[in-house]
Amino acid sequence: MKAVMIQKFGGPGGLEVLDLPDPAPAGGQVLIAVEAIGVGGVDAVIRRGALAAYGFQEGHIPGGEVAGTVTAVGDGVARSWLGQRVWAFTGTGGGYVEQAIAPVEEIVPLPANLSAVDAVTLGSSGVVAHFGLSRARFAPGESVLVRGASGSIGITAVQLAARGGAGAVAVTTSSAERGDRLRALGATHVLDRSGAGAADAPAGYDVIIDVVAGADLPSFFDRLNPNGRLVVVGAVAGPPPADFGTKMMAAFQKSMSFATFSAATVPGPDRRAVRTEQFTAASRGELRTVVHELLPLDQAALAHRKMDAGEVFGRIVLAP
């Protein structure tokens, strides 16, 4: 089978297409004939070598979510899965392949009218957006700011906040055109990347969902209301400054809260329940997916170049 591997950390040119032996599922696993592969921001972070200290090495196959048809099952897996269309979480890698292995507890059946492309656009991002808002204790009527709203996590968070009855849904993004697209998805105020630019925007927010982190994160504490909550669900701009907490301490009397969120901390049954609900909502047109571009698997390096250049609105999907 064809697979894309990180042969050298750094730029997208370090991604290479290789021919590997066809895999076989072990006990508790399924084999999936892949139709669509989600390209995520974490794939680019791993590709750059930024997570090498956490065990990621050159030779890693990136990609964490795929959709396709189950073609084989390992010991202990019900044969009724054979032939089913599923979304699957392959883990911290192993997704940029023609045939993927996934644990049976990490697969979710797809509605008949939901495409594999839409499934990998929503599958991971939807769970992060849902539980990120939950971690922030978001309640109807509250004001929400989604920082870095042009990616699939941010796009889903905007929709969920709007559907959840937010009093305002502000977004930071890089252009007026992207702002218009986010308004069509439920945003009420469009700000620039610094969080400025809309005279009628709320002066402060009850909840900030941050996909960006990076050097500018501390400045967004200034935009929290008293008792406001900022939850970091991604770090596409890297970690914040080591002393970012001093900004919170300087505003001690505002009783602000800061948290990080990873879907890895959510019990598997809860993740599956949310994905099933969101896939159903998407199949009915109640939750929109935004696909920036569909590219062949062997153009994974091009997909990463587009991400590095900041060109992507929504998600790039690879197709074997």
Side-chain angles (χ1 to χ4, degrees):
M1 70 167 183
K2 291 193 180 303
V4 174
M5 183 178 291
I6 301 172
Q7 292 284 56
K8 183 178 177 60
F9 282 144
L15 294 171
E16 292 190 20
V17 182
L18 303 173
D19 285 311
L20 298 179
D22 292 345
Q29 297 179 333
V30 301
L31 177 67
I32 298 165
V34 176
E35 299 170 25
I37 303 157
V39 179
V42 68
D43 302 343
V45 174
I46 293 171
R47 184 210 75 223
R48 296 179 193 124
L51 299 181
Y54 295 90
F56 293 96
Q57 300 178 353
E58 293 175 343
H60 178 78
I61 296 174
E65 63 179 316
V66 303
T69 302
V70 176
T71 57
V73 298
D75 291 344
V77 179
R79 293 186 61 80
S80 57
W81 282 110
L82 290 170
Q84 287 206 45
R85 296 175 63 250
V86 298
W87 174 93
F89 177 61
T90 59
T92 54
Y96 287 18
V97 294
E98 292 181 315
Q99 299 183 64
I101 296 289
V104 68
E105 62 269 16
E106 295 289 359
I107 64 176
V108 177
L110 296 181
N113 60 337
L114 185 70
S115 72
V117 171
D118 286 337
V120 297
T121 304
L122 180 61
S124 288
S125 61
V127 160
V128 173
H130 173 92
F131 286 106
L133 285 164
S134 176
R135 175 65 58 91
R137 305 187 308 281
F138 164 65
E142 290 190 315
S143 56
V144 177
L145 170 61
V146 181
R147 181 179 178 228
S150 295
S152 56
I153 294 173
I155 286 169
T156 310
V158 166
Q159 294 181 77
L160 294 180
R163 290 178 67 194
V169 183
V171 295
T172 69
T173 190
S174 59
S175 70
E177 184 271 337
R178 290 186 172 195
D180 290 341
R181 296 181 71 179
L182 289 163
R183 285 184 186 276
L185 293 165
T188 57
H189 301 83
V190 177
L191 313 176
D192 63 22
R193 285 178 171 173
S194 72
D200 62 340
Y205 299 91
D206 301 305
V207 169
I208 297 178
I209 299 296
D210 190 341
V211 190
V212 182
D216 293 334
L217 183 149
S219 68
F220 282 84
F221 289 129
D222 294 335
R223 302 184 183 278
L224 281 176
N225 288 332
N227 299 306
R229 294 86 68 194
L230 189 155
V231 178
V232 174
V233 299
V236 296
D243 63 348
F244 75 93
T246 60
K247 190 80 170 180
M248 290 184 67
M249 294 301 293
F252 190 89
Q253 291 181 319
K254 289 178 69 176
S255 299
M256 299 182 296
S257 300
F258 171 84
T260 58
F261 171 74
S262 167
T265 60
V266 178
D270 294 343
R271 294 197 305 267
R272 287 193 295 275
V274 168
R275 286 192 176 107
T276 298
E277 177 186 348
Q278 291 183 343
F279 287 156
T280 300
S283 73
R284 294 173 177 167
E286 299 166 1
L287 194 59
R288 291 174 57 186
T289 60
V290 178
V291 179
H292 180 84
E293 192 170 3
L294 180 63
L295 293 172
L297 175 61
D298 60 9
Q299 292 188 27
L302 175 60
H304 278 242
R305 289 190 187 97
K306 289 175 180 285
M307 284 199 300
D308 286 359
E311 298 177 9
V312 179
F313 183 87
R315 170 152 289 194
I316 292 183
V317 177
L318 300 175

